[in-house]
PDB file of all heavy atoms in Angstrom:
ATOM      1  N   ARG A 282      -6.469  -1.150  13.396  1.00 98.00           N
ATOM      2  CA  ARG A 282      -5.874   0.155  13.214  1.00 98.00           C
ATOM      3  C   ARG A 282      -4.447   0.227  13.702  1.00 98.00           C
ATOM      4  O   ARG A 282      -3.605   0.954  13.134  1.00 98.00           O
ATOM      5  CB  ARG A 282      -6.739   1.156  14.099  1.00 98.00           C
ATOM      6  CG  ARG A 282      -8.091   1.442  13.527  1.00 98.00           C
ATOM      7  CD  ARG A 282      -8.793   2.590  14.284  1.00 98.00           C
ATOM      8  NE  ARG A 282     -10.067   2.956  13.708  1.00 98.00           N
ATOM      9  CZ  ARG A 282     -11.253   2.536  14.147  1.00 98.00           C
ATOM     10  NH1 ARG A 282     -11.340   1.838  15.241  1.00 98.00           N
ATOM     11  NH2 ARG A 282     -12.332   2.922  13.526  1.00 98.00           N
ATOM     12  N   ARG A 283      -4.050  -0.564  14.690  1.00 98.00           N
ATOM     13  CA  ARG A 283      -2.628  -0.592  15.136  1.00 98.00           C
ATOM     14  C   ARG A 283      -1.787  -1.140  13.999  1.00 98.00           C
ATOM     15  O   ARG A 283      -0.691  -0.532  13.720  1.00 98.00           O
ATOM     16  CB  ARG A 283      -2.555  -1.538  16.384  1.00 98.00           C
ATOM     17  CG  ARG A 283      -1.126  -1.664  16.886  1.00 98.00           C
ATOM     18  CD  ARG A 283      -1.044  -2.669  17.968  1.00 98.00           C
ATOM     19  NE  ARG A 283      -1.071  -4.066  17.478  1.00 98.00           N
ATOM     20  CZ  ARG A 283       0.009  -4.738  16.957  1.00 98.00           C
ATOM     21  NH1 ARG A 283       1.182  -4.107  16.932  1.00 98.00           N
ATOM     22  NH2 ARG A 283      -0.159  -5.925  16.610  1.00 98.00           N
ATOM     23  N   LEU A 284      -2.184  -2.195  13.347  1.00 98.00           N
ATOM     24  CA  LEU A 284      -1.369  -2.758  12.244  1.00 98.00           C
ATOM     25  C   LEU A 284      -1.445  -1.832  11.033  1.00 98.00           C
ATOM     26  O   LEU A 284      -0.415  -1.805  10.367  1.00 98.00           O
ATOM     27  CB  LEU A 284      -1.829  -4.178  11.934  1.00 98.00           C
ATOM     28  CG  LEU A 284      -1.532  -5.201  13.042  1.00 98.00           C
ATOM     29  CD1 LEU A 284      -2.184  -6.551  12.705  1.00 98.00           C
ATOM     30  CD2 LEU A 284      -0.015  -5.368  13.130  1.00 98.00           C
ATOM     31  N   MET A 285      -2.534  -1.212  10.765  1.00 98.00           N
ATOM     32  CA  MET A 285      -2.550  -0.246   9.632  1.00 98.00           C
ATOM     33  C   MET A 285      -1.510   0.818   9.893  1.00 98.00           C
ATOM     34  O   MET A 285      -0.748   1.163   8.987  1.00 98.00           O
ATOM     35  CB  MET A 285      -3.937   0.479   9.595  1.00 98.00           C
ATOM     36  CG  MET A 285      -5.004  -0.342   8.838  1.00 98.00           C
ATOM     37  SD  MET A 285      -6.585   0.560   8.962  1.00 98.00           S
ATOM     38  CE  MET A 285      -6.197   2.178   8.307  1.00 98.00           C
ATOM     39  N   ALA A 286      -1.453   1.303  11.138  1.00 98.00           N
ATOM     40  CA  ALA A 286      -0.421   2.288  11.452  1.00 98.00           C
ATOM     41  C   ALA A 286       1.004   1.790  11.340  1.00 98.00           C
ATOM     42  O   ALA A 286       1.916   2.462  10.874  1.00 98.00           O
ATOM     43  CB  ALA A 286      -0.677   2.903  12.819  1.00 98.00           C
ATOM     44  N   TRP A 287       1.137   0.490  11.727  1.00 98.00           N
ATOM     45  CA  TRP A 287       2.483  -0.154  11.633  1.00 98.00           C
ATOM     46  C   TRP A 287       2.955  -0.083  10.215  1.00 98.00           C
ATOM     47  O   TRP A 287       4.124   0.338   9.933  1.00 98.00           O
ATOM     48  CB  TRP A 287       2.370  -1.546  12.194  1.00 98.00           C
ATOM     49  CG  TRP A 287       3.711  -2.249  12.114  1.00 98.00           C
ATOM     50  CD1 TRP A 287       4.243  -2.867  10.943  1.00 98.00           C
ATOM     51  CD2 TRP A 287       4.632  -2.507  13.144  1.00 98.00           C
ATOM     52  NE1 TRP A 287       5.448  -3.409  11.267  1.00 98.00           N
ATOM     53  CE2 TRP A 287       5.742  -3.239  12.598  1.00 98.00           C
ATOM     54  CE3 TRP A 287       4.649  -2.228  14.518  1.00 98.00           C
ATOM     55  CZ2 TRP A 287       6.776  -3.671  13.367  1.00 98.00           C
ATOM     56  CZ3 TRP A 287       5.722  -2.595  15.244  1.00 98.00           C
ATOM     57  CH2 TRP A 287       6.790  -3.346  14.697  1.00 98.00           C
ATOM     58  N   PHE A 288       2.152  -0.502   9.297  1.00 98.00           N
ATOM     59  CA  PHE A 288       2.609  -0.525   7.863  1.00 98.00           C
ATOM     60  C   PHE A 288       2.523   0.830   7.179  1.00 98.00           C
ATOM     61  O   PHE A 288       3.456   1.138   6.477  1.00 98.00           O
ATOM     62  CB  PHE A 288       1.812  -1.570   7.161  1.00 98.00           C
ATOM     63  CG  PHE A 288       2.051  -2.998   7.641  1.00 98.00           C
ATOM     64  CD1 PHE A 288       1.035  -3.669   8.427  1.00 98.00           C
ATOM     65  CD2 PHE A 288       3.169  -3.601   7.400  1.00 98.00           C
ATOM     66  CE1 PHE A 288       1.290  -4.881   8.927  1.00 98.00           C
ATOM     67  CE2 PHE A 288       3.463  -4.847   7.893  1.00 98.00           C
ATOM     68  CZ  PHE A 288       2.499  -5.521   8.681  1.00 98.00           C
ATOM     69  N   ASN A 289       1.527   1.558   7.413  1.00 98.00           N
ATOM     70  CA  ASN A 289       1.440   2.867   6.735  1.00 98.00           C
ATOM     71  C   ASN A 289       2.365   3.955   7.279  1.00 98.00           C
ATOM     72  O   ASN A 289       2.627   4.938   6.637  1.00 98.00           O
ATOM     73  CB  ASN A 289      -0.003   3.412   6.800  1.00 98.00           C
ATOM     74  CG  ASN A 289      -0.946   2.681   5.811  1.00 98.00           C
ATOM     75  OD1 ASN A 289      -0.490   2.140   4.817  1.00 98.00           O
ATOM     76  ND2 ASN A 289      -2.200   2.671   6.139  1.00 98.00           N
ATOM     77  N   GLU A 290       2.903   3.711   8.526  1.00 98.00           N
ATOM     78  CA  GLU A 290       3.801   4.674   9.093  1.00 98.00           C
ATOM     79  C   GLU A 290       5.135   4.122   9.335  1.00 98.00           C
ATOM     80  O   GLU A 290       6.115   4.581   8.650  1.00 98.00           O
ATOM     81  CB  GLU A 290       3.159   5.218  10.444  1.00 98.00           C
ATOM     82  CG  GLU A 290       1.877   5.912  10.274  1.00 98.00           C
ATOM     83  CD  GLU A 290       1.205   6.253  11.594  1.00 98.00           C
ATOM     84  OE1 GLU A 290       1.844   6.222  12.614  1.00 98.00           O
ATOM     85  OE2 GLU A 290      -0.057   6.531  11.575  1.00 98.00           O
ATOM     86  N   LYS A 291       5.241   3.068  10.103  1.00 98.00           N
ATOM     87  CA  LYS A 291       6.562   2.517  10.460  1.00 98.00           C
ATOM     88  C   LYS A 291       7.246   1.832   9.251  1.00 98.00           C
ATOM     89  O   LYS A 291       8.402   2.107   8.944  1.00 98.00           O
ATOM     90  CB  LYS A 291       6.458   1.576  11.612  1.00 98.00           C
ATOM     91  CG  LYS A 291       7.799   1.052  12.126  1.00 98.00           C
ATOM     92  CD  LYS A 291       7.605   0.224  13.378  1.00 98.00           C
ATOM     93  CE  LYS A 291       8.837  -0.329  13.962  1.00 98.00           C
ATOM     94  NZ  LYS A 291       9.813   0.704  14.437  1.00 98.00           N
ATOM     95  N   PHE A 292       6.551   0.878   8.607  1.00 98.00           N
ATOM     96  CA  PHE A 292       7.085   0.166   7.451  1.00 98.00           C
ATOM     97  C   PHE A 292       7.380   1.223   6.349  1.00 98.00           C
ATOM     98  O   PHE A 292       8.412   1.095   5.677  1.00 98.00           O
ATOM     99  CB  PHE A 292       6.095  -0.861   6.971  1.00 98.00           C
ATOM    100  CG  PHE A 292       6.632  -1.806   5.925  1.00 98.00           C
ATOM    101  CD1 PHE A 292       7.134  -3.081   6.298  1.00 98.00           C
ATOM    102  CD2 PHE A 292       6.735  -1.484   4.611  1.00 98.00           C
ATOM    103  CE1 PHE A 292       7.644  -3.944   5.349  1.00 98.00           C
ATOM    104  CE2 PHE A 292       7.162  -2.309   3.638  1.00 98.00           C
ATOM    105  CZ  PHE A 292       7.679  -3.584   3.993  1.00 98.00           C
ATOM    106  N   PHE A 293       6.480   2.148   6.169  1.00 98.00           N
ATOM    107  CA  PHE A 293       6.666   3.148   5.137  1.00 98.00           C
ATOM    108  C   PHE A 293       7.900   3.927   5.344  1.00 98.00           C
ATOM    109  O   PHE A 293       8.763   4.131   4.443  1.00 98.00           O
ATOM    110  CB  PHE A 293       5.474   4.070   5.075  1.00 98.00           C
ATOM    111  CG  PHE A 293       5.548   5.227   4.097  1.00 98.00           C
ATOM    112  CD1 PHE A 293       5.407   4.945   2.747  1.00 98.00           C
ATOM    113  CD2 PHE A 293       5.730   6.499   4.558  1.00 98.00           C
ATOM    114  CE1 PHE A 293       5.459   6.001   1.833  1.00 98.00           C
ATOM    115  CE2 PHE A 293       5.776   7.532   3.597  1.00 98.00           C
ATOM    116  CZ  PHE A 293       5.696   7.358   2.204  1.00 98.00           C
ATOM    117  N   GLU A 294       8.087   4.376   6.586  1.00 98.00           N
ATOM    118  CA  GLU A 294       9.294   5.214   6.893  1.00 98.00           C
ATOM    119  C   GLU A 294      10.568   4.419   6.774  1.00 98.00           C
ATOM    120  O   GLU A 294      11.581   4.929   6.296  1.00 98.00           O
ATOM    121  CB  GLU A 294       9.155   5.808   8.319  1.00 98.00           C
ATOM    122  CG  GLU A 294      10.321   6.681   8.692  1.00 98.00           C
ATOM    123  CD  GLU A 294      10.198   7.194  10.126  1.00 98.00           C
ATOM    124  OE1 GLU A 294       9.048   7.075  10.678  1.00 98.00           O
ATOM    125  OE2 GLU A 294      11.192   7.714  10.691  1.00 98.00           O
ATOM    126  N   GLU A 295      10.572   3.234   7.249  1.00 98.00           N
ATOM    127  CA  GLU A 295      11.780   2.383   7.304  1.00 98.00           C
ATOM    128  C   GLU A 295      12.155   1.598   6.060  1.00 98.00           C
ATOM    129  O   GLU A 295      13.293   1.188   5.878  1.00 98.00           O
ATOM    130  CB  GLU A 295      11.724   1.476   8.512  1.00 98.00           C
ATOM    131  CG  GLU A 295      11.602   2.173   9.812  1.00 98.00           C
ATOM    132  CD  GLU A 295      11.452   1.197  10.987  1.00 98.00           C
ATOM    133  OE1 GLU A 295      11.296  -0.038  10.770  1.00 98.00           O
ATOM    134  OE2 GLU A 295      11.524   1.673  12.138  1.00 98.00           O
ATOM    135  N   VAL A 296      11.132   1.300   5.221  1.00 98.00           N
ATOM    136  CA  VAL A 296      11.341   0.419   4.081  1.00 98.00           C
ATOM    137  C   VAL A 296      10.779   0.931   2.749  1.00 98.00           C
ATOM    138  O   VAL A 296      11.532   1.237   1.863  1.00 98.00           O
ATOM    139  CB  VAL A 296      10.754  -0.988   4.446  1.00 98.00           C
ATOM    140  CG1 VAL A 296      11.001  -1.950   3.216  1.00 98.00           C
ATOM    141  CG2 VAL A 296      11.283  -1.592   5.687  1.00 98.00           C
ATOM    142  N   SER A 297       9.478   0.981   2.635  1.00 98.00           N
ATOM    143  CA  SER A 297       8.902   1.201   1.333  1.00 98.00           C
ATOM    144  C   SER A 297       9.190   2.572   0.800  1.00 98.00           C
ATOM    145  O   SER A 297       9.490   2.741  -0.413  1.00 98.00           O
ATOM    146  CB  SER A 297       7.410   0.873   1.347  1.00 98.00           C
ATOM    147  OG  SER A 297       6.702   1.636   2.266  1.00 98.00           O
ATOM    148  N   HIS A 298       9.075   3.603   1.634  1.00 98.00           N
ATOM    149  CA  HIS A 298       9.325   4.982   1.158  1.00 98.00           C
ATOM    150  C   HIS A 298      10.729   5.173   0.628  1.00 98.00           C
ATOM    151  O   HIS A 298      10.945   5.681  -0.437  1.00 98.00           O
ATOM    152  CB  HIS A 298       8.899   6.022   2.190  1.00 98.00           C
ATOM    153  CG  HIS A 298       9.164   7.428   1.771  1.00 98.00           C
ATOM    154  ND1 HIS A 298       8.566   7.974   0.692  1.00 98.00           N
ATOM    155  CD2 HIS A 298       9.992   8.391   2.254  1.00 98.00           C
ATOM    156  CE1 HIS A 298       8.952   9.239   0.506  1.00 98.00           C
ATOM    157  NE2 HIS A 298       9.824   9.488   1.461  1.00 98.00           N
ATOM    158  N   PRO A 299      11.697   4.806   1.435  1.00 98.00           N
ATOM    159  CA  PRO A 299      13.112   4.991   0.917  1.00 98.00           C
ATOM    160  C   PRO A 299      13.413   4.160  -0.346  1.00 98.00           C
ATOM    161  O   PRO A 299      14.098   4.684  -1.261  1.00 98.00           O
ATOM    162  CB  PRO A 299      14.044   4.578   2.094  1.00 98.00           C
ATOM    163  CG  PRO A 299      13.122   3.870   3.053  1.00 98.00           C
ATOM    164  CD  PRO A 299      11.735   4.384   2.873  1.00 98.00           C
ATOM    165  N   LEU A 300      12.970   2.930  -0.369  1.00 98.00           N
ATOM    166  CA  LEU A 300      13.200   2.078  -1.577  1.00 98.00           C
ATOM    167  C   LEU A 300      12.494   2.621  -2.843  1.00 98.00           C
ATOM    168  O   LEU A 300      13.136   2.773  -3.867  1.00 98.00           O
ATOM    169  CB  LEU A 300      12.897   0.669  -1.298  1.00 98.00           C
ATOM    170  CG  LEU A 300      13.804  -0.097  -0.388  1.00 98.00           C
ATOM    171  CD1 LEU A 300      13.265  -1.513  -0.072  1.00 98.00           C
ATOM    172  CD2 LEU A 300      15.188  -0.212  -0.955  1.00 98.00           C
ATOM    173  N   VAL A 301      11.252   2.995  -2.695  1.00 98.00           N
ATOM    174  CA  VAL A 301      10.528   3.474  -3.818  1.00 98.00           C
ATOM    175  C   VAL A 301      11.045   4.837  -4.295  1.00 98.00           C
ATOM    176  O   VAL A 301      11.218   5.136  -5.448  1.00 98.00           O
ATOM    177  CB  VAL A 301       8.993   3.557  -3.516  1.00 98.00           C
ATOM    178  CG1 VAL A 301       8.267   4.315  -4.617  1.00 98.00           C
ATOM    179  CG2 VAL A 301       8.392   2.180  -3.399  1.00 98.00           C
ATOM    180  N   THR A 302      11.428   5.689  -3.324  1.00 97.00           N
ATOM    181  CA  THR A 302      11.982   6.989  -3.667  1.00 97.00           C
ATOM    182  C   THR A 302      13.310   6.850  -4.355  1.00 97.00           C
ATOM    183  O   THR A 302      13.519   7.451  -5.441  1.00 97.00           O
ATOM    184  CB  THR A 302      12.136   7.849  -2.371  1.00 97.00           C
ATOM    185  OG1 THR A 302      10.894   8.037  -1.792  1.00 97.00           O
ATOM    186  CG2 THR A 302      12.795   9.184  -2.738  1.00 97.00           C
ATOM    187  N   GLU A 303      14.163   6.024  -3.850  1.00 97.00           N
ATOM    188  CA  GLU A 303      15.542   5.922  -4.422  1.00 97.00           C
ATOM    189  C   GLU A 303      15.537   5.249  -5.788  1.00 97.00           C
ATOM    190  O   GLU A 303      16.220   5.617  -6.673  1.00 97.00           O
ATOM    191  CB  GLU A 303      16.428   5.188  -3.485  1.00 97.00           C
ATOM    192  CG  GLU A 303      16.749   5.856  -2.098  1.00 97.00           C
ATOM    193  CD  GLU A 303      17.433   7.207  -2.283  1.00 97.00           C
ATOM    194  OE1 GLU A 303      18.242   7.387  -3.243  1.00 97.00           O
ATOM    195  OE2 GLU A 303      17.049   8.149  -1.530  1.00 97.00           O
ATOM    196  N   ARG A 304      14.697   4.215  -5.897  1.00 96.00           N
ATOM    197  CA  ARG A 304      14.742   3.403  -7.149  1.00 96.00           C
ATOM    198  C   ARG A 304      13.732   3.768  -8.201  1.00 96.00           C
ATOM    199  O   ARG A 304      13.879   3.329  -9.327  1.00 96.00           O
ATOM    200  CB  ARG A 304      14.603   1.884  -6.744  1.00 96.00           C
ATOM    201  CG  ARG A 304      15.779   1.418  -5.838  1.00 96.00           C
ATOM    202  CD  ARG A 304      15.750  -0.055  -5.712  1.00 96.00           C
ATOM    203  NE  ARG A 304      15.931  -0.668  -7.028  1.00 96.00           N
ATOM    204  CZ  ARG A 304      15.870  -2.018  -7.221  1.00 96.00           C
ATOM    205  NH1 ARG A 304      15.589  -2.844  -6.168  1.00 96.00           N
ATOM    206  NH2 ARG A 304      16.039  -2.557  -8.417  1.00 96.00           N
ATOM    207  N   ILE A 305      12.694   4.491  -7.817  1.00 96.00           N
ATOM    208  CA  ILE A 305      11.657   4.861  -8.778  1.00 96.00           C
ATOM    209  C   ILE A 305      11.465   6.345  -8.873  1.00 96.00           C
ATOM    210  O   ILE A 305      11.661   6.973  -9.963  1.00 96.00           O
ATOM    211  CB  ILE A 305      10.312   4.176  -8.415  1.00 96.00           C
ATOM    212  CG1 ILE A 305      10.413   2.647  -8.600  1.00 96.00           C
ATOM    213  CG2 ILE A 305       9.190   4.624  -9.404  1.00 96.00           C
ATOM    214  CD1 ILE A 305       9.189   1.832  -8.241  1.00 96.00           C
ATOM    215  N   TYR A 306      11.046   7.019  -7.803  1.00 96.00           N
ATOM    216  CA  TYR A 306      10.737   8.435  -7.875  1.00 96.00           C
ATOM    217  C   TYR A 306      11.912   9.274  -8.386  1.00 96.00           C
ATOM    218  O   TYR A 306      11.680  10.184  -9.206  1.00 96.00           O
ATOM    219  CB  TYR A 306      10.263   8.968  -6.479  1.00 96.00           C
ATOM    220  CG  TYR A 306       8.987   8.412  -6.010  1.00 96.00           C
ATOM    221  CD1 TYR A 306       8.622   8.580  -4.630  1.00 96.00           C
ATOM    222  CD2 TYR A 306       8.085   7.732  -6.788  1.00 96.00           C
ATOM    223  CE1 TYR A 306       7.421   8.108  -4.174  1.00 96.00           C
ATOM    224  CE2 TYR A 306       6.893   7.220  -6.339  1.00 96.00           C
ATOM    225  CZ  TYR A 306       6.594   7.440  -4.968  1.00 96.00           C
ATOM    226  OH  TYR A 306       5.408   6.991  -4.482  1.00 96.00           O
ATOM    227  N   LYS A 307      13.116   8.923  -7.907  1.00 96.00           N
ATOM    228  CA  LYS A 307      14.235   9.783  -8.299  1.00 96.00           C
ATOM    229  C   LYS A 307      14.483   9.814  -9.820  1.00 96.00           C
ATOM    230  O   LYS A 307      15.107  10.776 -10.329  1.00 96.00           O
ATOM    231  CB  LYS A 307      15.516   9.338  -7.502  1.00 96.00           C
ATOM    232  CG  LYS A 307      15.610   9.939  -6.182  1.00 96.00           C
ATOM    233  CD  LYS A 307      16.981   9.646  -5.599  1.00 96.00           C
ATOM    234  CE  LYS A 307      17.224  10.386  -4.256  1.00 96.00           C
ATOM    235  NZ  LYS A 307      18.597  10.158  -3.759  1.00 96.00           N
ATOM    236  N   ARG A 308      13.988   8.802 -10.519  1.00 93.00           N
ATOM    237  CA  ARG A 308      14.153   8.730 -11.965  1.00 93.00           C
ATOM    238  C   ARG A 308      13.478   9.913 -12.621  1.00 93.00           C
ATOM    239  O   ARG A 308      13.759  10.250 -13.730  1.00 93.00           O
ATOM    240  CB  ARG A 308      13.647   7.411 -12.500  1.00 93.00           C
ATOM    241  CG  ARG A 308      14.424   6.197 -12.200  1.00 93.00           C
ATOM    242  CD  ARG A 308      13.708   4.922 -12.583  1.00 93.00           C
ATOM    243  NE  ARG A 308      14.623   3.795 -12.521  1.00 93.00           N
ATOM    244  CZ  ARG A 308      15.284   3.278 -13.496  1.00 93.00           C
ATOM    245  NH1 ARG A 308      15.130   3.756 -14.652  1.00 93.00           N
ATOM    246  NH2 ARG A 308      16.032   2.227 -13.343  1.00 93.00           N
TER     247      ARG A 308
END
Side-chain angles (χ1 to χ4, degrees):
R282 290 187 174 102
R283 182 186 73 83
L284 289 173
M285 280 175 55
W287 178 281
F288 294 107
N289 283 335
E290 298 172 17
K291 186 174 179 63
F292 190 99
F293 178 72
E294 180 181 349
E295 297 178 352
V296 180
S297 57
H298 180 60
L300 287 174
V301 169
T302 298
E303 296 299 325
R304 298 192 60 187
I305 295 179
Y306 292 167
K307 277 190 171 183
R308 289 172 170 264

